Amino acid sequence: MTLTAIVLLIALGLLLLALEVLILPGLIVGVIGGVLILIGVGASYISFGPATGNYVLLGTVISSVITGVLIFRSGTWKKASLSTTLTGKVNTIDEQKIKVGDIGITLSRISPMGKALVNGEEYEVTSVDVLINENTQVVVKKIDHNKVLVSPLS
């Protein structure tokens, strides 16, 4: 095997290891990368003897360390990671504004959850037992912590 082929095997192995760490989960790509590196280093010992094999091994270790440093720098992770924030919130029920027996209107289909307007306030509500279409009058049946249970007004 030529020295160029050995260097390409090792470089491809390092690239696969980097992809495993940054992008592709599952360990398969990383194992393939590690095997390619081992084949490359082993081929250098077999084809060129111990002296060249030792140089290739040293170069591989140095390249691996440099690749690891580049991967684990904070800037690399910032580019590869998700940086959005969640802006949703849990229903905060003010029991002065909504009570059992209040009547409201659905803003979306309740199947089994959706939005309803009760006493001028928008709440995420849950249907007690049936699907409720949009723009249907509902009555508040129960308030359980941050959960409002409604049923259609009959």
Side-chain angles (χ1 to χ4, degrees):
M1 188 177 286
T2 67
L3 195 56
T4 305
I6 291 170
V7 170
L8 287 175
L9 272 177
I10 293 170
L12 181 60
L14 289 173
L15 176 67
L16 290 176
L17 283 175
L19 285 174
E20 173 76 32
V21 171
L22 289 175
I23 300 170
L24 303 170
L27 203 64
I28 294 172
V29 175
V31 169
I32 293 170
V35 168
L36 289 177
I37 291 171
L38 290 175
I39 289 171
V41 171
S44 69
Y45 278 104
I46 292 169
S47 299
F48 298 105
T52 304
N54 288 337
Y55 287 127
V56 169
L57 179 62
L58 180 64
T60 302
V61 169
I62 291 171
S63 299
S64 298
V65 169
I66 291 171
T67 302
V69 168
L70 291 175
I71 288 174
F72 291 113
R73 283 185 15 202
S74 63
T76 304
W77 287 109
K78 287 179 185 173
K79 291 176 188 173
S81 67
L82 182 63
S83 61
T84 59
T85 57
L86 297 176
T87 57
K89 61 180 181 174
V90 175
N91 263 353
T92 50
I93 307 292
D94 183 359
E95 295 196 20
Q96 303 298 326
K97 294 183 179 181
I98 186 171
K99 293 182 178 17
V100 173
D102 286 346
I103 296 174
I105 189 160
T106 58
L107 300 173
S108 67
R109 185 168 187 223
I110 314 296
S111 61
M113 297 182 75
K115 298 276 187 186
L117 189 66
V118 181
N119 298 333
E121 297 282 328
E122 187 177 312
Y123 294 98
E124 185 171 301
V125 298
T126 303
S127 172
V128 174
D129 55 359
V130 296
L131 302 179
I132 306 170
N133 288 324
E134 187 176 352
N135 294 321
T136 303
Q137 285 193 329
V138 291
V139 62
V140 176
K141 290 292 187 179
K142 184 177 179 183
I143 300 172
D144 185 23
H145 301 291
N146 62 346
K147 193 172 187 179
V148 178
L149 298 167
V150 297
S151 64
L153 192 63
S154 38

